Amino acid sequence: MPQPAFDVLRALAIGSQALGLTAIITLETLLGDAARPWQGLALGLMLATALAIALVRVYRRNRLRKQHAERLGDNDHG
């Protein structure tokens, strides 16, 4: 299966990580040591987003494999 020219999930992953890193740095700059809990929250959101994107990727890959296997099975009986 050829890879699409633009992978939306990859762009979403890169964008969310860039946004999270920017938020962590900005919080440190604005709040100093008081930023720690908020930085932890930002990191947690980054990890949750990465996990969700990974799960969507696995789901899509498995769905495509299943569809491909069904098409091959239909060709054998047709």
Side-chain angles (χ1 to χ4, degrees), residues 58-68:
V58 168
Y59 172 78
R60 285 183 178 179
R61 183 175 46 235
N62 287 344
R63 189 184 68 209
L64 289 173
R65 284 181 183 165
K66 183 178 178 182
Q67 290 173 349
H68 183 70

Side-chain angles (χ1 to χ4, degrees), residues 3 10 24 34 41 45 50 52 57 60 74 77-78:
Q3 292 292 323
R10 182 165 296 180
I24 287 172
L41 177 65
L45 291 172
R57 186 175 298 278
R60 285 183 178 179
D74 290 344
H77 299 293

